[in-house]
Amino acid sequence: MKRVLFAAAATIFWTCSAIAADDASQWRKVDPQNLVLIETQYGTTAVELAPSFAPKHVERLKALVRAHFYDGLSFYRVIEGFVAQGGAGEDTASTAAKPKDAAKTAQWPALRREFEHPFSKGFTPLGSPDLFARQTGHVDGFPVGRDTKSRTEWMIHCPGTFAFARDDAPDTATTEFYIVIGEAPRRLDRNLTAFGRVIADPAKQDKILSMRLASDIPEAQRPSYEVMRTDTKAFARWKAMKKNPAPGFYFRQPPPILDICLAPVPSPKIAAAP
Amino acid sequence: MKRVLFAAAATIFWTCSAIAADDASQWRKVDPQNLVLIETQYGTTAVELAPSFAPKHVERLKALVRAHFYDGLSFYRVIEGFVAQGGAGEDTASTAAKPKDAAKTAQWPALRREFEHPFSKGFTPLGSPDLFARQTGHVDGFPVGRDTKSRTEWMIHCPGTFAFARDDAPDTATTEFYIVIGEAPRRLDRNLTAFGRVIADPAKQDKILSMRLASDIPEAQRPSYEVMRTDTKAFARWKAMKKNPAPGFYFRQPPPILDICLAPVPSPKIAAAP
């Protein structure tokens, strides 16, 4: 077998067998109150929000979603290898020719930054060096960096990180959001308010048909997701496997380094509630 | 302006103005002998090969291309965030059910590994720490790692890196190739023979309509590309900009770290030869 892809394949197989084993204790069901479903022509992008990281931004996003603010808008700025930005196309460099829809956005005043927050409980260190943070690891499945001096924590800009855009001044986020795609732009860490991550994605971004909070969908139709608990032996094994997914394959043992962004916590879709 | 995207925008603008300034000395035209054009329904993916890194693999790829080996085959294994693998679907885990087309692949015997090579001339250090290599930088626009003890060099697995797949044994590459997509899988460095990089990509992979060497296309129809020379002040300025693309935007100065994979050397398409 040509095994260059063994690494990813092993992840998938392992995840599936873990699900098959049905060891409920290693999974946390995603709270539908924190689950945003973005519909595009390609399917559903599911984003889990982290209200404890950035309560005001989560509150704003939920309000925008419930006001159907995003429905029919677009991912108007998709830059391969960087981010897909969506919303009203509010006064950005790429849409400067388009007059700002003041009526649409004026009712959403600028938010105060929530770039970082105090240490969360339930932090699982990644156990790997990092060039951008003193410590990295996971909280509730979210990739976080930590400054052990200031005891602050923040969501890391990995592929799939969901955050609000802003103007040059720090307290200027209103309605525009972006999803990181491609290589992790770690320089943005603690420079923007990141408060969610994509847990399922059809991988192509386009017009936003709708954006809903899962808890607003009748339970029978609502999709459900689980996230692997990071305080389990199962997750420790999964990380060890990610660090060296195919011991038989490697000609040269890679350094024992696992990039935080190469350890996206498994988040399978589960059957709808009966 | 919502500036989260300023970083990428600045890159694009800067590159364009650099082209407009027409400072020929900072650009190197890609040799059509080393330019592979992969046609899919989405457009042309242009790959520059590095024959000095892996001469036997480059020779093999050119022979395969000229034999029309890949035409009509597929990117049969695309794993979001990892790699897109193309070729005959030769006996991989994902195609185990499909019998190996022995007649198609038998005439291409396994290649000896070319995972690394002696130091190249014209190396430009990135000037940023790295967790996987003692030193990183660019050679002819290719991202490379270097071991200053063994004085060996290798192409780094960044998004866009082009390499040959292999079996568990190191000297088993034959015809199957992959292109890195998503977050850089650095653990593969020096574990596979990487010998090219994508310099232009329509970003979606599918059926391979054709795969040609640019030098085999009549000059009038042949697309041309330039690569920014990395031994120039222009490139040094470009890297400084990538390290902090928007000084006015950053609330918190990021660490002075530039990931090698976030510094893909500008490689614009230029007008066809008159």
Side-chain angles (χ1 to χ4, degrees):
Chain A
M1 292 195 304
K2 291 291 176 285
R3 289 275 184 90
V4 63
L5 295 178
F6 185 87
T11 308
I12 292 161
F13 295 150
W14 198 93
T15 304
C16 293
S17 61
I19 297 166
D22 198 22
D23 178 359
S25 64
Q26 76 194 47
W27 299 98
R28 171 182 60 79
K29 191 181 165 191
V30 174
D31 182 348
Q33 289 282 351
N34 295 327
L35 181 60
V36 172
L37 304 168
I38 306 172
E39 301 293 333
T40 68
Q41 61 164 313
Y42 303 109
T44 307
T45 297
V47 177
E48 183 178 15
L49 306 176
S52 65
F53 287 20
K56 294 295 179 191
H57 282 72
V58 168
E59 181 184 286
R60 168 65 56 88
L61 184 74
K62 287 183 181 181
L64 286 160
V65 165
R66 285 178 163 149
H68 299 280
F69 178 87
Y70 297 109
D71 298 1
L73 299 181
S74 288
F75 283 89
Y76 56 86
R77 205 162 183 211
V78 179
I79 298 183
E80 202 59 40
F82 186 39
V83 301
Q85 184 162 334
E90 186 202 355
D91 199 11
T92 68
S94 61
T95 55
K98 183 186 165 194
K100 181 172 172 172
D101 187 347
K104 193 160 177 56
T105 58
Q107 63 181 297
W108 306 102
L111 293 163
R112 187 169 157 68
R113 62 184 173 273
E114 295 176 305
F115 297 162
E116 49 192 341
H117 53 269
F119 276 10
S120 299
K121 283 179 185 162
F123 171 77
T124 307
L126 183 68
S128 198
D130 185 89
L131 293 169
F132 288 83
R134 286 173 191 274
Q135 201 177 26
T136 63
H138 294 92
V139 169
D140 290 339
F142 297 100
V144 300
R146 283 185 150 195
D147 184 332
T148 43
K149 280 190 182 171
S150 64
R151 297 188 64 79
T152 53
E153 185 182 279
W154 57 92
M155 197 176 296
I156 287 174
H157 279 78
C158 287
T161 291
F162 184 100
F164 258 19
R166 64 166 172 85
D167 206 338
D168 273 8
D171 300 328
T172 50
T174 55
T175 58
E176 309 304 280
F177 69 91
Y178 62 92
I179 294 173
V180 175
I181 56 178
E183 191 82 357
R186 295 289 304 280
R187 66 185 180 277
L188 302 181
D189 288 358
R190 290 191 285 175
N191 272 305
L192 292 117
T193 301
F195 58 100
R197 75 175 182 112
V198 172
I199 57 174
D201 195 351
K204 290 167 180 169
Q205 303 297 1
D206 205 67
K207 187 170 179 183
I208 301 168
L209 303 175
S210 77
M211 196 153 155
R212 289 174 299 172
L213 199 61
S215 56
D216 292 344
I217 301 171
E219 205 172 336
Q221 286 99 58
R222 182 191 300 167
S224 284
Y225 295 86
E226 282 183 329
V227 172
M228 186 179 274
R229 290 181 50 176
T230 57
D231 58 350
T232 58
K233 285 184 181 167
F235 187 66
R237 284 195 301 272
W238 183 84
K239 283 192 292 188
M241 185 277 297
K242 294 291 276 186
K243 210 176 272 183
N244 188 346
F249 176 79
Y250 286 86
F251 172 73
R252 181 188 305 272
Q253 189 65 27
I257 292 166
L258 178 59
D259 185 281
I260 182 76
C261 294
L262 284 174
V265 178
S267 310
K269 190 172 180 177
I270 55 176
Chain B
M1 292 197 304
K2 291 289 176 287
R3 288 277 185 87
V4 63
L5 295 178
F6 185 86
T11 307
I12 293 160
F13 295 150
W14 198 94
T15 304
C16 293
S17 62
I19 296 166
D22 199 23
D23 179 1
S25 65
Q26 76 195 47
W27 298 99
R28 169 182 61 78
K29 190 180 166 190
V30 174
D31 182 348
Q33 290 280 352
N34 295 325
L35 182 59
V36 172
L37 305 167
I38 306 172
E39 301 294 332
T40 68
Q41 62 164 314
Y42 303 108
T44 306
T45 298
V47 177
E48 183 177 12
L49 306 176
S52 66
F53 287 20
K56 294 295 178 190
H57 282 74
V58 168
E59 181 184 287
R60 168 64 57 87
L61 184 75
K62 287 183 180 181
L64 286 162
V65 165
R66 285 177 163 151
H68 299 280
F69 178 87
Y70 297 109
D71 296 1
L73 298 182
S74 289
F75 283 91
Y76 56 85
R77 204 163 184 209
V78 178
I79 298 184
E80 202 59 39
F82 186 40
V83 302
Q85 185 163 333
E90 186 203 351
D91 199 12
T92 68
S94 62
T95 55
K98 182 185 164 193
K100 181 171 172 172
D101 187 346
K104 193 160 176 54
T105 58
Q107 63 183 295
W108 307 101
L111 293 163
R112 188 169 156 69
R113 63 184 173 273
E114 295 177 304
F115 297 161
E116 50 192 340
H117 53 269
F119 276 10
S120 299
K121 284 180 187 165
F123 171 77
T124 308
L126 183 69
S128 198
D130 184 89
L131 293 170
F132 288 84
R134 286 172 193 275
Q135 201 177 26
T136 62
H138 294 91
V139 168
D140 290 340
F142 297 100
V144 301
R146 282 185 152 198
D147 184 332
T148 43
K149 280 190 182 171
S150 64
R151 297 187 63 80
T152 53
E153 185 181 279
W154 58 92
M155 196 176 297
I156 287 174
H157 279 76
C158 286
T161 291
F162 183 100
F164 258 20
R166 63 164 170 87
D167 205 339
D168 273 8
D171 300 329
T172 50
T174 55
T175 58
E176 309 304 280
F177 69 92
Y178 62 93
I179 295 172
V180 176
I181 55 178
E183 192 80 359
R186 296 289 303 279
R187 66 184 181 278
L188 301 182
D189 288 359
R190 289 193 283 175
N191 272 305
L192 292 118
T193 301
F195 58 101
R197 76 174 181 112
V198 172
I199 58 175
D201 195 351
K204 288 165 183 171
Q205 302 298 2
D206 205 67
K207 187 171 179 181
I208 301 167
L209 302 176
S210 77
M211 196 152 155
R212 288 175 300 173
L213 200 61
S215 57
D216 292 343
I217 300 170
E219 204 171 338
Q221 286 99 58
R222 183 192 300 169
S224 284
Y225 295 87
E226 281 184 331
V227 172
M228 186 179 275
R229 289 181 49 176
T230 58
D231 58 348
T232 57
K233 284 184 183 168
F235 186 67
R237 284 195 301 272
W238 183 85
K239 282 192 292 187
M241 184 277 299
K242 294 291 276 185
K243 211 177 272 185
N244 189 346
F249 176 79
Y250 286 86
F251 171 74
R252 181 188 303 272
Q253 187 67 27
I257 291 167
L258 177 59
D259 185 282
I260 182 76
C261 294
L262 285 174
V265 177
S267 310
K269 190 172 180 176
I270 55 176

